[in-house]
Amino acid sequence: MHAPEQFDAGLMWFRRDLRCQDNAALFHALRACRRVYGVFVFDTEFLDPLPRADRRVEFMHRSVEALDADLRALAGNADAGLIVLHGPARTLLPELAQALHVQAVYTNQDYEPAAITRDNQVRGGLANVGISLRTAKDHVIFERDEVLSLSGTPHTRFSAYCAQWLAQLTPFHARAYEVETHAARLATRPEVWRTPVPALQELGFHATNLAQLALLPGRAGALTQWQEFAARMDQYHLTRDYPAVRGPSYLGIHLRFGTLSIREVVQLAWDRYRQGDPGATKWLVELVWREFYIQLLTHFPHVVEHAFQKDMDRLPWDHGPHGRKLFAAWCAGQTGFPLVDAGMRQLHATGYMHNRLRMVAASFLTRQLGVDWRWGERHFAEHLNDYELASNNGNWQWAAGTGCDAQPWFRIFNPTAQSLQYDAQGKFLRRYLPELARLPDEEIHAPERASPIELEAAGITLGVDYPAPIVDLGEARRAALQRHAAIQQERRR
Ligand SMILES: Cc1cc2nc3c(=O)[nH]c(=O)nc-3n(C[C@H](O)[C@H](O)[C@H](O)COP(=O)(O)OP(=O)(O)OC[C@H]3O[C@@H](n4cnc5c(N)ncnc54)[C@H](O)[C@@H]3O)c2cc1C
């Protein structure tokens, strides 16, 4: 972002930063321009491929409504607020900027390849009419080349990246952008754009079960969730791995849509980390994982389609009818492995999936079922509320053993052992697999091991009420090791 210069008018383009507090691009726009308009585009080129009922779209829609209200309150002017458009941003943005006679458009950097392509198109469209596009860093603390190895190359080991990230962090990086100081510059919208945010239905979408979930959208929702988590952050390291426990923050969706600023959460976690708080330390490290994968995506965009370790593209995934059948059972939460099935059903019922279950489900699909990680990655991308290309891709490749700093090829999670370890009393399993609820704690993790009497007492006929395991774990493990061993052998040649 350049030094302040005085423009008569600027346009702030909100995307995955749906808040007016501590917003880098908005701050820069307000400092540089005497009048600043705000716009949000429901971009059809991104929305059209989505299912017509999508929790992310509903969350985004409600957060845009809240942002509109917040902007007007901040401006102290009911006629300020958001201009909301529906169509391709690629063409609508330059048209709007020209019609408003602004000299510059401000926006926060998006690091996903499709967004970068779109932004380049917008930049070109704006340049054609003599308007500049200015981007700011907002979504991360450190971007692209800001945390490099001593030799100037991107880090591919998380431990080294994390150590350097923490060493480089200063109060400056976590300081909030004081948008409020310049709020008087938020402009009154010309009358033609003083329209309410279109209803979800007008955008071509239906309501989901979002309202029934403990997931409040907008800035207010983000703050409620953040305060709730901040009060138990000190326990995070002890509770985060147990899916039946309220251990994680559930803030992923707010970080994804920018209803929460990364700086405000890092500031508190970092303060507590410096006081030696183990919960805050662990949580801060998770935020570093997020940035690790974002920088990885910018440096190695081939990961979108290919294995990070390029020779891993030769792994012989089962793409045939058998693989498709296994994949369908996995998607439906009908594999016969309760922890995997409960995780997949949590995903479909809520759009959230506990991190431990994401790891177990991804490992199971790619290692034990031999199904291509890209299939699983796509399924998660369609359903996760907090879907981020960088994190989803990085973690899928980690689980499949194809990624950067991945799970070693010979370490394969056993889903039954994971279930016994992390949900010993089967509380989480019972929540999402009611058909198994009456099994005793010892048997619920592997119903096929229950005696016929126990199954009968629990009202379960295997293969009818709940599937028998779709693979033999021992055989599946051997096959997985063989697949990877072939690549390892080639490497040694
Ligand atoms: C197969 C797989 C797919 C995943 N897909 C996504 C995804 O699409 N989007 C996503 O944000 N996370 C993804 N994760 C990482 C992690 O599971 C989620 O970030 C976390 O479960 C979100 O819940 P939370 O906000 O309660 O997390 P918390 O445990 O409270 O963590 C706080 C924040 O740290 C970040 N974070 C935590 N763990 C990771 C991680 N392993 N990698 C990157 N960032 C992390 C997230 O921003 C998260 O919101 C995936 C993990 C796996 C194993």
Side-chain angles (χ1 to χ4, degrees), residues 69-258:
D70 286 352
L71 276 171
R72 282 184 275 136
L74 186 63
N77 171 0
D79 293 331
L82 268 185
I83 296 170
V84 180
L85 304 177
H86 181 212
R90 193 166 44 84
T91 53
L92 290 183
L93 230 288
E95 281 166 20
L96 176 71
Q98 203 177 10
L100 288 168
H101 303 293
V102 301
Q103 287 84 54
V105 173
Y106 292 79
T107 201
N108 287 312
Q109 183 69 44
D110 189 323
Y111 303 98
E112 296 197 354
I116 292 172
T117 303
R118 187 258 332 264
D119 290 354
N120 285 337
Q121 291 165 338
V122 169
R123 181 175 280 108
L126 288 169
N128 287 341
V129 288
I131 300 171
S132 62
L133 179 69
R134 289 157 188 248
T135 57
K137 175 180 72 170
D138 183 78
H139 192 58
V140 290
I141 298 289
F142 295 115
E143 65 178 357
R144 289 177 288 212
D145 297 337
E146 289 187 309
V147 181
L148 293 176
S149 73
L150 284 176
S151 54
T153 53
H155 282 289
T156 52
R157 290 272 159 218
F158 176 71
S159 51
Y161 176 84
C162 185
Q164 197 178 330
W165 192 101
L166 289 169
Q168 274 185 212
L169 189 62
T170 69
F172 166 78
H173 295 107
R175 189 179 305 146
Y177 287 93
E178 298 282 345
V179 168
E180 295 76 7
T181 323
H182 308 281
R185 291 182 162 195
L186 289 167
T188 299
R189 288 171 293 175
E191 204 164 346
V192 60
W193 286 296
R194 254 179 254 160
T195 48
V197 176
L200 192 61
Q201 289 72 14
E202 287 175 64
L203 300 171
F205 287 88
H206 318 299
T208 64
N209 68 344
L210 187 71
Q212 281 93 59
L213 303 174
L215 178 55
L216 300 173
R219 176 71 184 158
L223 287 182
T224 305
Q225 187 57 46
W226 171 225
Q227 281 155 11
E228 188 269 332
F229 175 65
R232 56 182 171 82
M233 190 195 288
D234 61 345
Q235 298 298 305
Y236 178 74
H237 61 303
L238 301 173
T239 54
R240 65 188 289 264
D241 270 320
Y242 300 92
V245 176
R246 200 165 170 77
S249 69
Y250 308 101
L251 287 170
I253 188 167
H254 290 291
L255 292 171
R256 190 254 171 267
F257 286 104

Side-chain angles (χ1 to χ4, degrees), residues 363 367-368 407-414 476-477 480-481:
S363 170
R367 307 294 187 105
Q368 276 100 342
Q407 169 94 314
W409 63 280
F410 48 84
R411 249 194 87 195
I412 299 177
F413 282 137
N414 176 319
R477 182 183 157 78
L481 291 177

Side-chain angles (χ1 to χ4, degrees), residues 225 229 232 236 240 247-256 262 282-294 352-363 376-377 380-381 384-399:
Q225 187 57 46
F229 175 65
R232 56 182 171 82
Y236 178 74
R240 65 188 289 264
S249 69
Y250 308 101
L251 287 170
I253 188 167
H254 290 291
L255 292 171
R256 190 254 171 267
I262 187 67
K282 188 74 195 152
W283 197 66
L284 185 60
V285 168
E286 297 308 316
L287 298 177
V288 183
W289 270 109
R290 171 179 175 271
E291 300 207 356
F292 177 67
Y293 284 132
I294 292 174
Y352 183 80
M353 190 171 177
H354 190 278
N355 178 60
R356 171 66 39 192
L357 304 184
R358 295 187 205 200
M359 292 197 294
V360 171
S363 170
E377 184 202 20
F380 272 27
L384 279 176
N385 296 335
D386 59 27
Y387 168 60
E388 288 263 14
L389 170 54
S391 298
N392 198 41
N393 180 283
N395 279 286
W396 267 98
Q397 296 221 34
W398 177 88

